[in-house]
Amino acid sequence: MDSQFDEQRRRALVAIGSTLYAARADRAWSQERVALEAGISVITYCALERGFSRGGDLANPTLDTLLRVFAVLDIDPTAVTAGSDHPTSAPSRQEN
């Protein structure tokens, strides 16, 4: 993979992790509770919050895993990286 892609991926994973942590902290829930309700392992959930696996590699969650966690924490998936500066992001449209 090229370094630009790796950096974009790292930033996206950090944004996702920060969002998950904030939503979980707002509810005063444990990582175990979120993992249990999402049907994933605690290790997987911890990697999502950190953005990295236990081995130090970037996390690589499936879409299904992310959507399960977003549903448990009542997170709109489209809002997670809405503020990203991804070069191919469509410009936001203003409503009239």
Side-chain angles (χ1 to χ4, degrees), residues 59-77:
N60 194 17
T62 65
L63 180 59
D64 182 67
T65 296
L66 288 172
L67 292 176
R68 286 171 178 251
V69 172
F70 292 160
V72 166
L73 293 171
D74 196 29
I75 296 170
D76 177 1

Side-chain angles (χ1 to χ4, degrees), residues 2-95:
D2 69 23
S3 62
Q4 183 179 6
F5 175 77
D6 287 343
E7 180 58 22
Q8 290 172 342
R9 186 169 157 225
R10 187 194 65 74
R11 283 193 315 239
L13 289 167
V14 167
I16 290 168
S18 295
T19 301
L20 295 177
Y21 175 79
R24 181 176 64 79
D26 283 349
R27 289 164 177 74
W29 287 1
S30 67
Q31 291 175 326
E32 291 84 0
R33 179 175 178 177
V34 176
L36 180 66
E37 291 193 24
I40 62 174
S41 72
V42 175
I43 291 170
T44 297
Y45 181 77
C46 291
L48 291 176
E49 274 195 13
R50 283 191 317 268
F52 294 92
S53 68
R54 288 192 308 177
D57 296 325
L58 288 173
N60 194 17
T62 65
L63 180 59
D64 182 67
T65 296
L66 288 172
L67 292 176
R68 286 171 178 251
V69 172
F70 292 160
V72 166
L73 293 171
D74 196 29
I75 296 170
D76 177 1
T78 62
V80 175
T81 58
S84 73
D85 58 351
H86 192 281
T88 60
S89 294
S92 60
R93 291 186 265 177
Q94 295 180 347
E95 295 187 30

